[in-house]
């Protein structure tokens, strides 16, 4: 484990990474919810406690309201009805005009007002009109010459429709609101004769004209005026007006239906929005509550208890992702806290050994009169003090390493040149000990992107370990090659090799296993630091034994081999 491990939440997947052990209570029930502390907020209705829920509902209702307002304002149904009624009235007016034309004498003077040549009242009285229709006949002098009203036919059933409930309430508001949007066609016009007269001038020009207006009561009123032709000349005008109460009734009913639909849609929309909001807001507030609890615990007596982030990773959406990421984050944080605690414990333990030895040496020194013994004890004390000094500086280097690795800027450099320099640097020491130091390096440079001085530290550790384990007649070979985008480097020696059980342990902090006379001169941090540096470069470092044969794992190793692989 690193002295201060790199912080990587993505790696820290509690499910997949066996290194990260969450406290048992972190595991949650199968339904994706977790046994978190009950949130008092949860007792309040969702809509009151969740701004997200309110937003979802508001936006959904807004969309619905725009739709309904659009339907009501544009009112396509009304337009269709109005056009149909107009067309029917135009036909009716033209038909009556044709009847008048047929009744008019072919020759001789005609005066409708004097009933000379034709009796207009008799003509209209002879016709039957539907109820609500008023017929006016004017002569060319715009004088009303005949008038008739439609009467309900015998047996005609008049539907009695109750004022629709919602529309009754809303229609007044509606009329007020929609008044500014009504076009010219809805300009208030006087009923009956007045309305008919308004079109008279144009109809006397020989054209059939119509207009849709509105009575002061708000009902639609249709007026049509058609000319009565006698040859090429206009002989009079037939005008029809109808107060289309029925159309208004139908329109009101239609509006009522739209509003009822709107009401149902509102209920459905609010319901669905609440369901949607609860699947988003509830789990989010659960996650937030768990995180907040963690923050509060950080500064309270509960600090010992671990934060429980609910496991929603089964959800295939962003909330599942968030929960997974948060759990990973928390696990990585605990991992880091644990490792820091472990580091502190290891440091205390490592310092305690020389301190204990120091104390007993000092105590014995007090009681000893023998000069020889005193000199020996002073040697022990000096050795312990030096050991402590080295330990403390090694520990302080190791604990700063993580921060420094992040701070320093990675640059490209030639690994081959670096190894060549290091070998030259160690050559004198090797020659003094009678060890052959062999360099097997390529001619071409291997350019690695990284922190040159830190990586040099790794190879210095490896070479000095090898030198310390080798004796007269042994050999150390350092070789490197570039392959498939990797810079592979090896430090091999013909020393005693590494005990099989210790192959993994040698990279742990403070693990040092050396022959008797060397004991106490090493802190056991060299390989731990090397591993940390190599991993900070995204690389890999491992150790193996060189064996006479692969088949027999128990055979005495012929030496140790350390492999460092870095990305180029
Ligand atoms: N080349 C090697 N051959 C055999 N054993 C080795 C070799 N290199 C390392 N080891 C084993 O791995 C242990 C840990 O090495 P590491 O470099 O971490 O610590 P150290 O050298 O003992 O102390 P320090 O590096 O702090 O002075 C060594 O004590 C030794 O037992
Ligand atoms: Mg070492």
């Amino acid at each position: 484990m690193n002295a201060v491990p790199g912080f990587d939440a993505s790696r820290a997947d509690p499910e997949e990474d066996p290194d990260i052990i969450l406290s048992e209570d972190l595991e949650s029930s199968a339904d994706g919810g977790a046994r978190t502390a009950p949130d008092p907020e949860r007792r309040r209705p969702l809509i009151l406690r969740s701004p997200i829920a309110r937003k979802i509902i508001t936006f959904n209702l807004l969309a619905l309201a725009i739709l309904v307002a659009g339907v009501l304002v544009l009112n396509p149904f009304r337009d269709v009805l109005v056009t149909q009624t107009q067309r029917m009235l135009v036909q009716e007016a033209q038909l009556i005009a044709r009847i008048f034309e047929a009744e008019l004498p072919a020759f001789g003077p005609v005066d409708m007002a004097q009933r000379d040549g034709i009796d207009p009242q008799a003509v209209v009285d002879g016709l039957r009109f539907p109820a609500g229709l008023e017929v006016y006949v004017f002569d060319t002098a715009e004088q009303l010459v005949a008038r008739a009203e439609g009467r309900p036919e015998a047996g005609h059933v008049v539907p009695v429709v109750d004022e629709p409930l919602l529309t009754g309430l809303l229609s007044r508001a509606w009329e007020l609101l929609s008044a500014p949007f009504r076009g010219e066609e809805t300009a208030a016009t006087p009923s009956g004769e007045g309305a008919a007269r308004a079109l008279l001038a144009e109809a006397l020009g020989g054209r059939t004209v119509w207009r849709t207006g509105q009575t002061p009561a708000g009902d639609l009123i249709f007026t049509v005026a058609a000319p009565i032709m006698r040859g090429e000349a206009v002989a009079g005008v037939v005008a029809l007006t109808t107060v289309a109460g029925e159309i208004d009734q139908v329109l009101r009913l239609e509006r009522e239906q739209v509003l009822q639909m709107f009401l149902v849609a509102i209920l459905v929309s609010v319901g669905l929005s609440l369901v949607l909001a609860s699947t988003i807001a509830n789990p989010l507030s659960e996650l937030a509550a768990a995180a907040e609890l963690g923050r509060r615990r950080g500064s309270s007596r509960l600090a010992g208890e671990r934060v429980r982030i609910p496991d929603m990773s089964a959800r295939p959406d962003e909330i599942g992702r968030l929960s997974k990421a948060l759990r990973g984050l928390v696990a990585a944080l605990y991992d880091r806290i644990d490792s820091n605690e472990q580091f502190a414990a290891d440091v205390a333990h490592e310092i305690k050994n020389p301190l204990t030895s120091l104390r007993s040496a000092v105590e014995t020194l007090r009681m000893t009169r023998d000069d020889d013994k005193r000199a020996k004890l002073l040697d022990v004390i000096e050795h312990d003090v030096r050991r402590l000094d080295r330990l403390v500086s090694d520990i302080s280097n190791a604990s700063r390493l993580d921060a420094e690795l992040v701070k320093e800027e990675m640059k490209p450099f030639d690994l081959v040149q670096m190894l060549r320099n290091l070998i030259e640097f160690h050559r004198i020491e090797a020659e003094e000990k009678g060890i052959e130091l062999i360099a097997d390096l390529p001619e071409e440079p291997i350019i690695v992107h990284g922190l040159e001085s830190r990586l040099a530290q790794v190879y210095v550790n490896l070479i000095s370990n090898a030198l310390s384990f080798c004796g007269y007649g042994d050999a150390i070979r350092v070789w490197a090659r570039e392959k498939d985008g990797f810079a592979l480097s090896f430090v091999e020696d013909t020393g005693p090799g590494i005990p099989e059980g210790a192959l993994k342990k040698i990279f742990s902090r403070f693990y040092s296993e050396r022959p008797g006379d060397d004991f106490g001169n090493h802190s056991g941090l060299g390989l731990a630091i090397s591993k940390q540096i190599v991993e900070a470069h995204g690389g890999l470092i491992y150790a193996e034994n060189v064996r006479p044969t692969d088949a027999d794992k128990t055979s005495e190793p012929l030496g140790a081999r350390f492999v460092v692989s870095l990305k180029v």
Side-chain angles (χ1 to χ4, degrees), residues 258-280:
V258 170
L259 289 172
Q260 280 172 356
M261 238 170 54
F262 181 41
L263 211 69
V264 173
I266 284 179
L267 292 178
V268 172
S269 169
V270 168
L272 289 180
S273 301
L274 280 173
V275 172
L276 178 68
S278 70
T279 64
I280 297 172

Side-chain angles (χ1 to χ4, degrees), residues 461 464-465 514 522 525-527:
N461 274 331
S464 43
N465 274 354
R514 288 176 173 274
H522 295 269
L525 282 171
L527 287 179

Side-chain angles (χ1 to χ4, degrees), residues 159-165 167-168 249 252-253 256:
V160 179
V161 190
D162 292 333
E163 172 77 351
L165 181 74
T167 326
Q249 193 68 41
R252 269 189 212 113
L253 270 177
E256 172 84 2

Side-chain angles (χ1 to χ4, degrees), residues 134-193:
E134 287 172 18
V135 183
Y136 301 90
V137 182
F138 298 93
D139 64 4
T140 43
E142 300 192 6
Q143 213 178 325
L144 183 66
V145 292
R147 183 178 180 287
E149 260 176 50
R151 265 177 292 277
E153 289 165 41
H156 181 82
V157 183
V158 183
V160 179
V161 190
D162 292 333
E163 172 77 351
L165 181 74
L166 287 169
T167 326
L169 287 170
L170 289 172
S171 59
R172 269 168 225 293
W174 172 256
E175 299 299 345
L176 280 173
L177 278 175
S178 64
F181 303 106
R182 277 183 224 127
E184 199 212 334
E185 52 154 6
T186 55
T189 33
S191 63
E193 189 185 333

